[in-house]
Amino acid sequence: MKIYKINYLLILGVLLFSYNATSAQQEQDIEDRITKIITKMTLEQKIGQLSLRGTSSRTKVLPEELKQDVRDGKVGAFLNVMKVDYVDELQKIAIEESPLGVPLIFSRDIIHGFKTIFPIPIGIAASWDKETAKTSARISAIEGSSYGIRWTFAPMLDIARDSRWGRIAESPGEDPYLASVLAKGYVEGFQTDNLTNPTSMAACAKHFIGYGAAIGGRDYNTAIIHEPLLRNVYLKPFEAALSSGVQTIMTSFNEVNGVPASGNKWLLTDVLRDEMNFDGFVVSDWNSVTEMINHGYAKDEKQAADLAVNAGLDMEMTSKSYEFYVKELIKEGKVKEDQIDFLVRNILRVKFKLGLFEKPYRSKTHTGDLYSEEHLTKAKTAAIKSTVLLKNESVLPLKMSAKIALIGPLANAPREQLGTWTFDGEKEHSVTPLKTFKDKRVSFKFSKGLSYSRDKSTGGFEAAIEAAKVSDVIVFIAGEEAILSGEAHSRANINLPGKQEELIKILAKTGKPIILVIMAGRPITITNIIDDVDAVLMAWHPGTMAGPAIYDILFGKKEPLGRLPVTWPKTAGQLPLFYNHKNTGRPSDAESFVQIDDIPVGAWQSSLGNTTHYLDAGFTPHFPFGYGLGYTTFKLEHLRLSKTEITESEELEVFVSLTNTGESAGEEVVQLYLQDKVGSLTRPVRQLRRFKRVRLNSGETRIVKFIINRKDLEFVNNSLKPVIEKGEFNVYVGQNSVSGLVKGFVLK
Ligand code: NOJ
């Protein structure tokens, strides 16, 4: 037995060694080939590789000038070339007519689906499921690569703590651990384990960094993030993407602590290259190099190019400061040619890894299986996994025989249900709730009530009320149009726009139960109407298959499986709001809190509880991070730790018993949070460290086990060192970020 074991280990060792040797050899071959190319390149051709040019999807004729630039080797990559013939033509010119035949790389924002649209990323985040992120990325890549696109500008990994920010729709939510899990799923899905596979795409982790920390949630706004916070929170998902081999990184539009990301040498060179060992390439965001002039960081385009090159930014998106000024900067000695060689090398390396030198052309037999049955089914499953049940006064699931009034501006809005960043998904393929109800022969009356989410006309109210009166239950599909979230689409108020609240209140007077389904790009404040409705389902913008997913959930064919990836506010005035906040010196508490209406007139200033809260909005969110109901109930009991004291090198095992106490089978997301009670830098009240989806039959019990290790206890301190500090910790295991069982341990 022992001998077998030794032999086995030996063989494994030899295999591993030869595998490492081959991949090291392959990497060296690539570097050698790059060196050969760079040696032959003129300075203009090198600068050409650093240029990402855009065409518009609507381009009717490829401009001659553009073709000539490719011929002259002045372009390294394209974005948004959406006619496959143009992709083919441009690549042919690059390969056959440009001086060194360096292939182009074609890119596009394929964020949550190409043709088959998956839920928006905040929806995917609500699935709390790496596989869902991976599947959405995989199918996006399969479909998109059939158009010759081998590089996508996803995943967006910006931690978002403010739901006013329009781009929260594209974000992985507020938590660095959850975002890191998703980051890995996305990168694996886009890139696979074989980048040369013609259905693989280079992923792009964006936006580096702090874009989601825009003050006030106003897009592009200044971010102020002290370095330990940057490292403990904002950088985490990027580290995860890098560990999964992400090939490209996009800088963010914003400045962090006074320095715009695209000209930030500390960020792009010291942190990204030197500390994190990134060996792919960094692309700017759209014009973000020359926008450093608006930031007041560069006086003109030439200085912008100087700053960006010296920061280590490899490829410039759309603006042309490199093309216009790098030559001059070299002449003036501000930039060295070998710096440019380094940037070119980073870009060529990714082109080699994608196999573009061997196979530059789009495979004509690769159809992408656009909208195939398989893709649509997966998009539907993802939508079910993303939908979060926020309230249910025993109205859901519905009986098949229920007579339904289907009302609301999003009930039949094929474009809107797709959400932001869906340049290629066609609304003609969207299956809306209305269409599904018809296809499934649900007994229902449809009356939209309002034509679109911002509609302020009451013209449709009468008919909606009539439909409600003759029905057993109202399904009101509310929300925001796709255009109300996404880039530059921040809102100061995040309630249901238009007259949706008013219509819901009027419908409530009919006495019929209301199921509110929300399709939106962000959490929507619903405090005004929560008491008027009997159930609330948050579907985000669910994508092509919104209708079938919502139908299955409403009628109990499937359970809503989502959990909130962001804290849900009662009012926009509470924002930014996030669960992993600090305790403060005067933590809020229910006992001393006096609500604004209960303050006696003429009350003495210090007669109210002096804790951190709002007099009017209190101190709790409407729904906490991690929250979500299902169609059954669960109970957690008997939290047990393997030890009460550990050393740094020891692992801690955590056990908890989970029982399905309801009538039907169902799934729970068991969440483990840690609290480091005392730190040299104050620590968050809780931090998510593990979670597990567990499926149990009614009455079934299972012991769920987690393992915590030293990495989970680590944080970057004020001296910017990763440290683990001895002392007391709490382990919370619960169904969301504020409830649960707790047990303490000591790190010796
Ligand atoms: C600007 C956006 O910020 C970025 O996310 C996107 O990838 C680029 N434009 C390209 O469209």
Side-chain angles (χ1 to χ4, degrees):
M1 193 62 188
K2 248 192 183 151
I3 292 173
Y4 280 139
K5 212 172 182 177
I6 291 169
N7 279 345
Y8 172 76
L9 284 175
L10 245 161
I11 294 170
L12 200 79
V14 171
L15 281 177
L16 221 84
F17 175 77
S18 50
Y19 170 79
N20 282 339
T22 346
S23 69
Q25 186 53 49
Q26 277 166 352
E27 279 173 22
Q28 192 48 54
D29 286 350
I30 290 181
E31 297 307 317
D32 294 345
R33 287 175 73 184
I34 295 175
T35 308
K36 274 194 196 135
I37 296 173
I38 292 182
T39 327
K40 288 192 209 142
M41 275 179 160
T42 62
L43 182 57
E44 284 80 3
Q45 288 158 10
K46 290 177 187 173
I47 297 169
Q49 284 305 306
L50 314 184
S51 153
L52 171 58
R53 289 279 183 86
T55 70
S56 153
S57 320
R58 298 190 189 100
T59 299
K60 293 262 176 339
V61 191
L62 262 188
E64 268 316 309
E65 203 190 2
L66 194 65
K67 293 195 218 171
Q68 193 53 44
D69 281 352
V70 175
R71 210 166 273 129
D72 296 341
K74 284 191 178 162
V75 188
F78 276 101
L79 79 156
N80 298 342
V81 180
M82 289 319 293
K83 282 210 173 76
V84 283
D85 295 345
Y86 294 169
V87 170
D88 296 342
E89 192 179 343
L90 289 167
Q91 193 66 299
K92 194 161 187 291
I93 297 174
I95 299 297
E96 294 181 6
E97 300 174 46
S98 80
L100 297 169
V102 176
L104 296 163
I105 175 168
F106 293 91
S107 61
R108 177 78 159 165
D109 287 286
I110 301 178
I111 309 292
H112 55 109
F114 180 63
K115 295 287 180 184
T116 305
I117 301 298
F118 278 67
I120 51 173
I122 191 78
I124 298 280
S127 74
W128 285 54
D129 182 30
K130 179 182 168 196
E131 283 311 305
T132 300
K134 188 167 170 177
T135 305
S136 112
R138 186 80 288 271
I139 289 177
S140 302
I142 292 173
E143 293 196 356
S145 57
S146 70
Y147 274 55
I149 299 155
R150 298 294 306 285
W151 176 27
T152 181
F153 302 130
M156 199 258 233
L157 299 177
D158 296 304
I159 295 298
R161 296 171 153 189
D162 192 328
S163 303
R164 291 171 296 183
W165 189 47
R167 299 197 81 168
I168 197 169
E170 306 164 44
S171 85
E174 74 187 34
D175 182 69
Y177 177 77
L178 177 60
S180 301
V181 170
L182 297 163
K184 289 185 181 181
Y186 282 123
V187 175
E188 288 171 18
F190 282 124
Q191 298 193 167
T192 74
D193 51 12
N194 174 14
L195 268 171
T196 62
N197 174 337
T199 73
S200 292
M201 277 185 184
C204 180
K206 68 185 189 186
H207 304 83
F208 203 64
I209 203 169
Y211 187 35
I215 294 176
R218 263 192 328 281
D219 208 3
Y220 315 121
N221 208 5
T222 308
I224 302 169
I225 312 171
H226 64 78
E227 199 177 326
L229 179 65
L230 189 94
R231 290 177 179 274
N232 288 323
V233 173
Y234 291 89
L235 213 56
K236 286 288 167 201
F238 288 91
E239 285 173 6
L242 253 67
S243 73
S244 295
V246 72
Q247 291 297 306
T248 73
I249 301 268
M250 187 187 293
T251 58
S252 54
F253 282 126
N254 55 288
E255 61 160 78
V256 180
N257 305 336
V259 182
S262 300
N264 194 329
K265 180 167 186 297
W266 169 77
L267 187 65
L268 303 185
T269 299
D270 301 355
V271 176
L272 187 60
R273 294 274 175 209
D274 298 347
E275 271 182 43
M276 295 168 81
N277 296 320
F278 178 60
D279 78 341
F281 70 81
V282 179
V283 63
S284 78
D285 203 341
W286 190 285
N287 290 353
S288 70
V289 173
T290 52
E291 282 176 13
M292 288 198 282
I293 302 169
N294 287 342
H295 277 286
Y297 193 66
K299 66 175 190 300
D300 52 23
E301 291 201 4
K302 184 170 162 189
Q303 195 190 1
D306 183 356
L307 288 164
V309 170
N310 279 305
L313 189 142
D314 302 296
M315 188 183 273
E316 183 178 12
M317 187 193 291
T318 59
S319 55
K320 292 186 174 176
S321 70
Y322 282 17
E323 183 177 328
F324 296 153
Y325 298 105
V326 164
K327 237 174 145 177
E328 259 180 59
L329 290 167
I330 291 181
K331 265 199 209 122
E332 291 169 15
K334 292 190 171 136
V335 165
K336 303 247 162 1
E337 189 159 348
D338 54 7
Q339 276 180 280
I340 300 302
D341 291 354
F342 178 70
L343 309 188
V344 174
R345 180 175 289 279
N346 295 330
I347 293 165
L348 294 186
R349 188 179 300 119
V350 174
K351 290 186 176 181
F352 268 109
K353 284 191 182 167
L354 281 166
L356 288 173
F357 280 88
E358 280 69 34
K359 275 195 188 159
Y361 297 109
R362 181 178 63 89
S363 149
K364 304 245 161 76
T365 54
H366 168 36
T367 61
D369 294 334
L370 312 176
Y371 301 116
S372 68
E373 203 48 47
E374 186 197 340
H375 293 187
L376 292 172
T377 306
K378 289 188 166 155
K380 175 181 158 187
T381 304
I384 291 167
K385 288 192 170 174
S386 302
T387 301
V388 188
L389 180 60
L390 297 172
K391 173 176 179 176
N392 186 11
E393 299 288 335
S394 310
V395 278
L396 284 174
L398 293 170
K399 292 205 177 69
M400 288 309 296
S401 57
K403 277 200 270 162
I404 292 168
L406 180 65
I407 300 174
L410 274 290
N412 190 35
R415 167 71 195 88
E416 311 315 334
Q417 72 183 37
L418 299 180
T420 187
W421 289 114
T422 47
F423 290 143
D424 305 289
E426 294 130 320
K427 65 176 196 269
E428 295 69 23
H429 287 262
S430 291
V431 190
T432 67
L434 174 66
K435 180 167 187 326
T436 313
F437 274 34
K438 282 184 186 155
D439 292 349
K440 300 281 182 188
R441 299 180 188 282
V442 173
S443 154
F444 78 107
K445 278 210 169 333
F446 173 60
S447 181
K448 60 186 173 204
L450 292 159
S451 296
Y452 59 105
S453 74
R454 289 163 295 151
D455 192 356
K456 292 193 182 70
S457 125
T458 53
F461 281 21
E462 205 51 51
I465 296 163
E466 286 317 307
K469 281 186 181 156
V470 297
S471 307
D472 303 326
V473 57
I474 299 164
V475 172
F476 193 103
I477 310 210
E480 292 178 323
E481 296 147 73
I483 194 75
L484 300 187
S485 60
E487 187 177 342
H489 302 164
S490 297
R491 294 179 61 201
N493 295 304
I494 54 168
N495 55 346
L496 290 173
K499 293 229 179 231
Q500 296 183 79
E501 288 188 1
E502 193 175 318
L503 179 53
I504 290 167
K505 283 201 170 291
I506 292 173
L507 290 169
K509 294 203 179 110
T510 63
K512 303 292 164 113
I514 301 180
I515 295 159
L516 175 64
V517 180
I518 303 173
M519 291 189 196
R522 55 163 66 79
I524 295 289
T525 51
I526 48 175
T527 25
N528 286 344
I529 45 167
I530 190 75
D531 294 334
D532 298 304
V533 300
D534 301 83
V536 182
L537 276 169
M538 180 57 179
W540 316 98
H541 285 129
T544 308
M545 295 300 276
I550 289 170
Y551 167 87
D552 276 11
I553 290 173
L554 289 174
F555 290 99
K557 298 185 185 310
K558 288 279 168 2
E559 191 189 22
L561 293 173
R563 299 293 182 266
L564 290 179
V566 278
T567 303
W568 190 291
K570 290 186 233 172
T571 163
Q574 289 178 296
L575 296 167
L577 193 64
F578 44 97
Y579 84 92
N580 46 358
H581 61 84
K582 305 291 185 72
N583 206 32
T584 81
R586 295 188 173 188
S588 46
D589 76 281
E591 256 163 56
S592 70
F593 174 65
V594 186
Q595 215 271 335
I596 196 162
D597 298 323
D598 301 331
I599 302 174
V601 176
W604 184 245
Q605 175 169 336
S606 55
S607 63
L608 306 177
N610 286 350
T611 66
T612 175
H613 57 239
Y614 292 104
L615 293 176
D616 44 1
F619 51 87
T620 51
H622 200 160
F623 302 105
F625 172 85
Y627 176 81
L629 306 169
Y631 285 162
T632 183
T633 47
F634 286 93
K635 191 169 177 193
L636 283 167
E637 292 169 298
H638 315 305
L639 176 62
R640 185 168 70 79
L641 310 184
S642 57
K643 292 171 189 150
T644 49
E645 288 189 346
I646 56 164
T647 59
E648 251 190 50
S649 57
E650 285 177 308
E651 286 182 342
L652 180 74
E653 293 176 335
V654 180
F655 303 91
V656 72
S657 139
L658 178 74
T659 304
N660 180 343
T661 49
E663 305 286 286
S664 51
E667 217 166 287
E668 183 55 288
V669 181
V670 183
Q671 304 165 28
L672 184 152
Y673 298 84
L674 283 185
Q675 181 196 14
D676 184 350
K677 288 174 75 177
V678 178
S680 60
L681 191 69
T682 58
R683 312 302 307 124
V685 291
R686 285 191 189 195
Q687 288 178 283
L688 181 69
R689 281 293 178 255
R690 294 283 182 283
F691 61 85
K692 243 180 213 161
R693 279 196 167 274
V694 184
R695 188 167 180 79
L696 294 181
N697 290 323
S698 162
E700 198 184 344
T701 297
R702 187 169 311 158
I703 305 294
V704 183
K705 178 181 169 186
F706 298 101
I707 298 176
I708 299 297
N709 59 42
R710 63 183 308 282
K711 249 325 203 194
D712 300 307
L713 312 178
E714 190 181 279
F715 67 95
V716 173
N717 70 7
N718 249 343
S719 322
L720 308 178
K721 298 248 164 11
V723 289
I724 298 169
E725 294 180 344
K726 295 191 168 68
E728 290 181 30
F729 288 77
N730 274 332
V731 179
Y732 292 90
V733 179
Q735 291 162 289
N736 58 59
S737 57
V738 296
S739 69
L741 308 166
V742 58
K743 275 263 148 69
F745 70 93
V746 174
L747 178 71
K748 286 191 297 184

